[in-house]
Amino acid sequence: SSPQVIVVALGTNDFATGNVGPAFIGDYVALIQRLRHAYPSAQIFGVFGGMLAGERYKAGRDAVSAAIARLQEAGDGRVHFIEFDLPDTSRRWGCDWHPGLGAQQHMARTLQTQISQYEAW
């Protein structure tokens, strides 16, 4: 059976050392197009956020968002962008700059809310 929802969480490692440039957007678009070809009816969510900060965060977020926008402009109405804009609260950070418990809970709620707009689970 085919998945109803696909969540793609890529870009953090790519942008961890700085802006990798426009090639990332083209590669991201190509990946989503491959997924779309394999799973034509799936809702696909490109997500970003949770680990980086400052200019690296902005570069990664903007690249993922731009790739999703390009796909939408090409007519794919089943692809969406989600930004995990995390509050700086207790348990925001876990080990090695990964999201802590509070951040993971926030990310899960955000994802659940967004998916529920398209899928009645």
Side-chain angles (χ1 to χ4, degrees), residues 34-110:
R34 288 184 69 189
L35 290 170
R36 173 60 64 225
H37 179 74
Y39 307 108
S41 64
Q43 297 286 352
I44 300 175
F45 295 86
V47 302
F48 191 82
M51 293 182 64
L52 300 178
E55 292 303 314
R56 294 173 184 169
Y57 176 87
K58 290 176 189 173
R61 177 202 58 207
D62 292 351
V64 173
S65 176
I68 298 298
R70 186 180 295 176
L71 291 156
Q72 290 170 336
E73 290 164 4
D76 191 339
R78 297 176 69 80
V79 64
H80 318 279
F81 174 69
I82 298 174
E83 179 179 4
F84 292 133
D85 187 18
L86 301 175
D88 195 12
T89 59
S90 68
R91 299 187 145 188
R92 162 64 178 95
W93 298 106
C95 294
D96 210 16
W97 298 103
H98 287 79
L101 179 61
Q104 290 181 36
Q105 290 170 338
H106 181 81
M107 292 163 71
R109 284 190 301 274
T110 300

